[in-house]
Amino acid sequence: MPTAVTAKESKVDVLVIGAGPAGLMSAFALARAGINVQIVDKRSKKVAAGQADGIQPRTTEVFKSYGLSDRLLKEGTQLHVAAFYNPSKSGGIELTDRVPDVTATDTNFPFEVTLHQGAIEDIFLDNMRDMGVEVSRPVIPTSLEVTEALVDDFDAYPVRVVLENEDTETEDERRTEIVYAKYVLGADGAHSWVRKYMGIAMQGEQTEYVWGVVDLVPDTDFPDVRNKCAIHSNNGSCMIIPREDDKIRLYIQLDGKDVMDANGRVDKSKAGPEMILDVARKTLHPFTINTPESYDWWTIYVIGQRVAERYTVHNRVFIAGDACHTHSPKAGQGMNASMQDSYNLAWKLAHVLKGTAHPTLLQTYELERRRYAQDLIDFDKKFSTLFSGKPYSELNLDGVSHVEFLQAFQTFGGFTSGLGVQYPNSMIIDSKHQNLAQNIFIGRRLPPRPLLRAADCRPIDLHDLLVSDARFKLLVFTGDTHDPAQMARVQEFAKQFSASGSFFAEFSSPDSMSKVLDIVTISSEKKETIMYNALPRILWSHWSKVLVDDIDMRGVTGSGKVYESLGINAAGAVIVVRPDGYVAAIAPLDGVSHITSYFTTFMKAC
């Protein structure tokens, strides 16, 4: 007789289903923000090898903002060069070009980092463990219900999820847990249970392109094996991605009829790493690659390009990552797009749960990330077609030329790096005063810049102060505070900032405001004359938060041209930066009312 077991019941602010990169990023970010989060995964163990492996510059910047980039860079491989090979007249392939792998230059990380998914997951898991958050495995959801009558009740837990722990010997012994959550995030992959259970359809199509992937330590005479390579041959296309521990990843274009079943689905029993490597040998001719002692990982796939019709149900259940968009992996976007979904959502959930933002803020998640996914699919269609197409040759004059492929590679560089992503106007993106900082694009991430701390002239990068702590950053570019007239404008700004009627005056104390807003002051006054403590006290919570646009004492670090490079004139400006590093709004120094209007649209003083 099965033993009756009473289901455990619990409450949690956010339940995350799925512990891949998207799920772990969200659980980590929420825990770091002080949110009560629970994360479960159906797998008994994390990924050990293979899967996603490429980290783009913008994602590395995000890792840095959390203090995670040192480990990523230590364990991963950096890709600085992209090499291009095309058919040679004598048969086989030949080197056509070498260019920078990352074409966007406005970053402190102008390269890709490759590290297998399991190692990236470990970075999150170890840091989550330090915060007392562990992944529950193997746990599967069996039902998910949203009580619609409670979705507008801030104090309610309207989402009821039944979980089954499968870590038992018999089905009768399975432990059941009922979780009541304020919010649920489905980050459970391309075959998402959450998405399907909530009736969210995927929109898009499957291409005819079939690719094989194999990870191995190569024994080869191919000269660019430690560079990223895009190879077009008359036998098909190939991409080489250098990996950690001397490994590489080969993406090999396959003939669909060799690996598809009668229903048009991939049949892995018809393939294997040896078969993929055999095709690679033909593509790489006249270069050779020997059979390794072992293969680290392999798979085959058909390129599918789809996006979910919606990302949320009642703004209480959300989906992220592969659960809401699928595309080719060759542009290195999959894991990056997934983690950026979670990064976008986490700070919004944190503010709503802490009572510092209205729940309407959550509407911007789908607005921003679904639009990005649609742009990603459009890009992927173009890039995949070019990559999978037959190369130009004397026998194929209509093929893809190197010039055409290189132009696409460089044109899309801002998008693939993540540095050129731009969010549209919304309640949290206000482009009204774009002219005040012409080289800072409202809706894009704020670029790094070298500056000095005013108090001790220590070189510092602007990104060093954009810590991912769920706070907005208010960057006050004061102009030249050595000029009495300009200092008077700064003092008037500070007066209006704290005056009655200002959003910021509504906070109960400076300490309560500092939990939502971090103020950084940047002066164009010279280091030899500036007195940081002469600035209004409300503009610096700590002596380290006053910076100068100048070069350091040795004349090595800094530029003294940050105002100029950002397009900010002598009158100064105020830049509002969101918790995820995106420029949200710009205002003149006499524009406190505009800043107040921006924040009161979605925030609550407390």
Side-chain angles (χ1 to χ4, degrees):
M1 289 285 292
T3 302
V5 178
T6 303
K8 173 187 173 184
E9 294 191 0
S10 63
K11 289 183 177 180
V12 68
D13 287 339
V14 182
L15 173 65
V16 179
I17 299 173
L24 291 174
M25 168 65 90
S26 61
F28 167 79
L30 289 165
R32 181 66 72 88
I35 300 303
N36 179 19
V37 59
Q38 179 180 349
I39 178 169
V40 301
D41 193 272
K42 66 181 181 181
R43 298 170 297 178
S44 59
K45 297 179 181 179
K46 71 173 184 65
V47 168
Q51 303 296 334
D53 66 351
I55 298 293
Q56 297 289 348
R58 176 56 191 154
T59 306
T60 305
E61 289 180 351
V62 172
F63 272 57
K64 181 181 187 298
S65 74
Y66 279 120
L68 305 178
S69 60
D70 286 351
R71 179 171 168 181
L72 173 70
L73 296 175
K74 180 181 178 180
E75 296 182 11
T77 295
Q78 295 181 16
L79 309 188
H80 291 267
V81 174
F84 296 86
Y85 283 74
N86 287 284
S88 68
K89 293 182 179 179
S90 59
I93 58 171
E94 63 182 2
L95 175 66
T96 305
D97 208 349
R98 290 191 183 111
V99 301
D101 179 43
V102 172
T103 57
T105 58
D106 204 0
T107 176
N108 293 327
F109 305 103
F111 48 82
E112 287 183 73
V113 178
T114 54
L115 183 64
H116 78 84
Q117 181 175 318
I120 292 168
E121 290 179 4
D122 275 338
I123 295 175
F124 288 120
L125 290 167
D126 291 346
N127 282 271
M128 287 163 54
R129 192 173 297 115
D130 292 341
M131 294 184 288
V133 180
E134 300 262 11
V135 179
S136 297
R137 314 173 181 269
V139 174
I140 61 170
T142 59
S143 73
L144 191 160
E145 299 173 2
V146 181
T147 303
E148 293 187 32
L150 298 177
V151 295
D152 295 326
D153 183 350
F154 175 77
D155 296 320
Y157 294 80
V159 189
R160 181 182 184 271
V161 184
V162 178
L163 302 174
E164 298 283 352
N165 189 319
E166 294 192 306
D167 191 17
T168 52
E169 293 185 3
T170 68
E171 187 172 341
D172 292 336
E173 294 173 343
R174 283 184 181 178
R175 297 191 300 275
T176 300
E177 180 181 3
I178 300 174
V179 178
Y180 294 92
K182 288 187 174 180
Y183 299 96
V184 168
L185 174 62
D188 49 343
H191 303 288
S192 170
W193 177 90
V194 173
R195 184 190 69 232
K196 294 174 182 177
Y197 198 88
M198 300 308 295
I200 300 174
M202 294 291 281
Q203 299 173 333
E205 57 194 21
Q206 181 170 294
T207 72
E208 60 185 18
Y209 305 125
V210 182
W211 287 77
V213 187
V214 61
D215 293 347
L216 70 157
V217 176
D219 177 10
T220 179
D221 60 356
F222 184 73
D224 277 294
V225 73
R226 297 314 302 175
N227 290 320
K228 179 178 179 179
C229 296
I231 300 167
H232 280 101
S233 82
N234 291 322
N235 185 67
S237 299
C238 169
M239 178 172 278
I240 298 177
I241 304 294
R243 292 276 304 280
E244 74 282 359
D245 300 328
D246 292 335
K247 292 193 287 282
I248 64 169
R249 170 166 291 182
L250 293 174
Y251 288 98
I252 304 295
Q253 188 176 6
L254 303 177
D255 190 331
K257 68 177 183 294
D258 294 335
V259 294
M260 305 291 277
D261 64 19
N263 297 316
R265 297 189 180 95
V266 167
D267 183 354
K268 291 187 72 172
S269 68
K270 293 185 176 183
E274 294 83 4
M275 177 260 212
I276 296 172
L277 192 59
D278 283 342
V279 178
R281 289 191 179 101
K282 298 175 184 177
T283 300
L284 291 173
H285 177 74
F287 305 103
T288 61
I289 183 168
N290 295 323
T291 302
E293 293 183 3
S294 63
Y295 297 93
D296 196 54
W297 181 79
W298 72 277
T299 192
I300 56 175
Y301 66 90
V302 177
I303 296 175
Q305 294 156 331
R306 298 182 177 90
V307 61
E309 62 180 351
R310 52 199 169 109
Y311 279 24
T312 182
V313 176
H314 300 303
N315 282 317
R316 289 288 188 166
V317 178
F318 300 89
I319 54 175
D322 289 352
C324 48
H325 45 72
T326 61
H327 40 83
S328 162
K330 288 184 295 300
Q333 295 303 295
M335 181 162 52
N336 295 272
S338 295
M339 290 191 287
Q340 294 290 348
D341 285 345
S342 298
Y343 187 52
N344 181 286
L345 179 61
W347 71 265
K348 298 171 182 178
L349 282 170
H351 276 286
V352 171
L353 286 163
K354 289 181 177 181
T356 52
H358 298 286
T360 52
L361 173 63
L362 300 176
Q363 297 172 5
T364 63
Y365 168 64
E366 180 179 305
L367 170 71
E368 293 180 339
R369 295 307 296 173
R370 189 172 186 276
R371 172 168 169 168
Y372 163 80
Q374 290 172 319
D375 290 343
L376 174 57
I377 297 302
D378 290 342
F379 152 75
D380 192 55
K381 288 179 178 178
K382 298 173 184 175
F383 192 76
S384 293
T385 300
L386 286 173
F387 202 95
S388 300
K390 292 290 184 181
Y392 173 86
S393 67
E394 292 181 353
L395 298 177
N396 185 27
L397 298 179
D398 294 328
V400 179
S401 70
H402 170 65
V403 172
E404 184 181 8
F405 188 79
L406 180 62
Q407 183 180 29
F409 179 84
Q410 294 178 330
T411 299
F412 293 127
F415 187 83
T416 56
S417 66
L419 305 175
V421 174
Q422 183 156 359
Y423 293 139
N425 273 352
S426 68
M427 70 174 72
I428 55 173
I429 296 291
D430 183 348
S431 60
K432 180 178 180 181
H433 291 294
Q434 178 66 76
N435 63 302
L436 297 178
Q438 296 182 13
N439 298 329
I440 295 177
F441 298 101
I442 298 173
R444 289 190 188 180
R445 113 312 180 195
L446 184 76
R449 286 294 183 273
L451 295 157
L452 301 181
R453 289 198 309 213
D456 61 1
C457 285
R458 177 175 173 173
I460 190 170
D461 193 278
L462 186 55
H463 272 201
D464 293 338
L465 297 174
L466 298 186
V467 179
S468 286
D469 55 9
R471 293 191 295 173
F472 284 81
K473 310 300 186 288
L474 200 69
L475 307 184
V476 183
F477 287 82
T478 61
D480 185 358
T481 46
H482 192 61
D483 176 4
Q486 187 64 18
M487 177 60 98
R489 296 187 188 99
V490 173
Q491 291 170 334
E492 181 61 23
F493 168 78
K495 179 181 177 182
Q496 294 298 322
F497 187 83
S498 55
S500 176
S502 164
F503 169 73
F504 312 100
E506 300 298 319
F507 286 90
S508 58
S509 68
D511 181 61
S512 63
M513 183 176 73
S514 69
K515 294 178 181 178
V516 173
L517 189 69
D518 188 22
I519 302 174
V520 177
T521 298
I522 304 169
S523 173
S524 62
E525 184 176 350
K526 295 302 179 183
K527 59 183 178 293
E528 291 83 2
T529 62
I530 191 167
M531 303 293 182
Y532 80 90
N533 55 358
L535 290 163
R537 189 66 179 85
I538 198 170
L539 298 187
W540 52 280
S541 60
H542 189 263
W543 61 264
S544 62
K545 297 297 179 73
V546 180
L547 311 179
V548 290
D549 180 13
D550 204 351
I551 197 165
D552 76 342
M553 288 297 184
R554 297 179 300 151
V556 175
T557 305
S559 65
K561 296 182 178 180
V562 171
Y563 272 67
E564 178 184 338
S565 70
L566 297 180
I568 300 173
N569 64 30
V574 181
I575 315 294
V576 180
V577 183
R578 302 183 344 179
D580 57 359
Y582 283 77
V583 178
I586 299 176
L589 284 181
D590 61 359
V592 171
S593 61
H594 179 69
I595 303 172
T596 290
S597 175
Y598 169 79
F599 278 106
T600 53
T601 302
F602 61 93
M603 295 290 287
K604 295 187 273 186
C606 57

